[in-house]
Amino acid sequence: MHFSFLEKFGASILIVMWLVWGSHTIGNFVSPEPAKANAIKIAGVATTTTAKVEKKEPQDALVLLAKADPKKGKKTFGKCKACHTTDKGGKHRVGPNLWNVVGNKMATGSGYSYSNALKGKGGEWTYKNLDAFLKSPRRFAKGTKMTFAGVRKATERADLLVFLRTLSDSPKPLP
Ligand code: HEC
């Protein structure tokens, strides 16, 4: 067989057209796949977002108490030392001595003159109350004399709470 130039040319045009049509058809077959892949991607994004929310710092230090470390709390207490002593029978400074504070009635350390704001609260220093007070003293007891911004990180507050707990001859059980 012998093809003329025109025949070859015609054939190659046909082949090119067939290829274009073919890839288009294949494309149609393939296209549902990327859609699925996108759905998976979207689902993936959704799961990472929830994971992020779960990893976010819990606002409540109480759930962290079991894992909290009194030694770290003692270090964090460096922020409080200027105003508070922690030894049994220790002196009051700007703030009251904190021996046996966990579980004790609020604002009842003997020989210290508390603000009316704290005296007026009239509850006990449960872990929950201490957590709220240390997070934001002013929000907990508006008008408190404790001029301290508060400890924002829940993990730090948890460490502080288990440290404060050790300041006693009979530490109060954790909640
Ligand atoms: C600038 C001084 C200052 C700093 C810093 C400070 N406190 Fe106080 N704290 C006070 C004063 C003043 C009071 C008394 C508040 C009142 O009567 O309203 C107080 C009260 C308290 C009480 C209540 C005690 C009671 O007998 O009812 C606790 C508990 C306490 N502080 C813990 C802490 C901890 C823990 C820190 C560190 C994270 C800290 N404070 C940092 C000044 C301070």
Side-chain angles (χ1 to χ4, degrees), residues 96-155:
N97 167 262
L98 293 179
W99 178 261
N100 233 350
V101 74
V102 177
N104 205 354
K105 282 205 150 186
M106 288 178 198
T108 52
S110 66
Y112 183 84
S113 118
Y114 291 87
S115 68
N116 288 332
L118 203 58
K119 275 194 282 188
K121 290 292 281 189
E124 278 172 17
W125 282 128
T126 58
Y127 290 101
K128 194 171 180 229
N129 282 336
L130 275 172
D131 180 35
F133 182 57
L134 295 182
K135 188 174 172 187
S136 172
R138 261 164 286 180
R139 194 175 300 167
F140 181 83
K142 199 165 179 272
T144 177
K145 288 206 294 183
M146 178 151 141
T147 48
F148 177 76
V151 180
R152 271 191 59 198
K153 279 192 90 178
T155 45

Side-chain angles (χ1 to χ4, degrees), residues 44-80:
V45 169
T47 33
T48 36
T49 335
T50 26
K52 256 188 208 156
V53 170
E54 273 162 15
K55 264 189 206 161
K56 222 181 124 193
E57 192 79 33
Q59 293 298 292
D60 188 349
L62 300 187
V63 296
L64 301 168
L65 287 181
K67 279 195 225 151
D69 181 355
K71 276 190 210 135
K72 279 194 199 155
K74 193 172 181 176
K75 269 195 202 145
T76 309
F77 194 81
K79 296 181 186 182
C80 328

